[in-house]
Amino acid sequence: THILPHLDDGAKDTATAVEMLGWQKAQGVTTVLCTPHYYGKRSPDKFLSQRESAYERLKARIPDGITLRLGAEVHFTGVNVPDYEQLCRLAIEGTNGILIELPFTERWTERLLPALTDFADDTGYTPIIAHVERYREVLKTPSILSRLIDVGCLIQVNARAFTEKRERKFAFALLKHGFVHCIGSDAHDLERRSVDMLTAKAAVERAGYAEAWENVQSTMQRLLDGEEVRALSGTPVKKTFGGY
């Protein structure tokens, strides 16, 4: 989520953040991961200091029954990769999982996957690839998902992908073929990019994938419990005329 206020393109103020947390609670969410964007334009020290300040402003107003975990959504291109020790400081609190955002529309460089492999191998941390349904390279070549799994990555999909017309075919193909390990709201605001986990869950259940949804919840809980979670590569997703 992008609930921490004044840090990125998420919650514009503390009042908005509090209301967003209320929406999470109303939908049965008990643990909220606060993952503001980190683009490397500021030092990790400065980012962490600003993140802590945002959390302190919000802390006294967190609804009962909701726990916040701090982290970051780290933009990773494979070029000018930050120091690994510094990167690991941005992992999701209490875990060895780090949410990684890859380039959306531009072509991935030949260095990207090797750099991701080096990071995972050298640190033992698990890259969680954010909202894979939005990357041009993945949509164009779904077989790249197996390469990401081989690197040691987990795959995250946004809840809205299961209900939005332009994304749902691919999202359900990922779920069917075993390439969804985490589902998140990616909540930014109260309107266009709000919390809507229950609608996504209902859509998944109507499609006959209730067990898959529960398996994803179990995987996320194991990650939050500090367990080492390794994914098996799913069956290949193939691109066909008009769908996947």
Side-chain angles (χ1 to χ4, degrees):
T1 73
H2 299 267
I3 281 179
L4 290 179
H6 307 293
L7 278 182
D8 56 9
D9 59 343
K12 62 182 180 180
D13 52 38
T14 302
T16 300
V18 171
E19 191 169 353
M20 291 171 72
L21 287 174
W23 285 23
Q24 296 274 10
K25 181 177 180 178
Q27 297 200 35
V29 174
T30 56
T31 303
V32 174
L33 306 187
C34 299
T35 53
H37 289 289
Y38 179 75
Y39 291 112
K41 296 179 180 179
R42 46 190 160 173
S43 70
D45 282 335
K46 184 173 183 179
F47 172 83
L48 291 171
S49 175
Q50 292 172 333
R51 188 186 70 179
E52 185 64 24
S53 295
Y55 173 69
E56 288 297 324
R57 286 194 294 269
L58 186 59
K59 183 168 65 172
R61 300 177 65 184
I62 298 172
D64 291 339
I66 290 282
T67 299
L68 265 56
R69 295 273 194 105
L70 302 181
E73 184 175 347
V74 181
H75 193 61
F76 192 100
T77 65
V79 180
N80 299 323
V81 177
D83 176 81
Y84 288 169
E85 184 176 345
Q86 297 298 316
L87 269 184
C88 291
R89 296 172 67 195
L90 304 179
I92 296 165
E93 183 180 0
T95 81
N96 72 342
I98 180 167
L99 189 64
I100 297 290
E101 180 183 73
L102 301 177
F104 280 99
T105 57
E106 61 265 37
R107 185 176 181 181
W108 292 356
T109 68
E110 293 182 359
R111 181 60 191 143
L112 177 59
L113 291 183
L116 203 55
T117 302
D118 290 345
F119 169 74
D121 288 347
D122 291 353
T123 66
Y125 276 64
T126 300
I128 304 168
I129 307 303
H131 40 61
V132 295
E133 74 278 3
R134 299 175 63 190
Y135 300 130
R136 187 184 71 173
E137 290 290 310
V138 174
L139 291 167
K140 182 176 66 175
T141 313
S143 61
I144 204 168
L145 293 165
S146 294
R147 295 180 62 190
L148 289 170
I149 298 297
D150 291 342
V151 166
C153 298
L154 298 178
I155 303 299
Q156 185 260 320
V157 171
N158 285 350
R160 284 187 307 279
F162 295 103
T163 58
E164 290 196 358
K165 184 176 181 180
R166 65 178 182 177
E167 295 177 346
R168 64 191 181 200
K169 284 185 179 180
F170 189 55
F172 275 109
L174 295 179
L175 194 64
K176 177 181 178 180
H177 289 270
F179 284 107
V180 180
H181 311 117
C182 304
I183 296 172
S185 67
D186 195 24
H188 279 67
D189 52 45
L190 295 167
E191 298 166 351
R192 189 173 64 88
R193 302 174 75 179
S194 63
V195 181
D196 205 1
M197 296 294 285
L198 287 182
T199 301
K201 181 181 180 183
V204 169
E205 290 176 343
R206 282 197 305 272
Y209 295 107
E211 184 178 356
W213 179 276
E214 293 306 319
N215 288 340
V216 169
Q217 303 306 310
S218 176
T219 297
M220 292 193 291
Q221 187 60 58
R222 288 168 54 209
L223 183 71
L224 291 178
D225 288 342
E227 295 183 28
E228 182 179 357
V229 179
R230 298 284 295 186
L232 299 176
S233 186
T235 56
V237 176
K238 297 182 180 180
K239 187 173 183 180
T240 62
F241 182 76
Y244 294 91

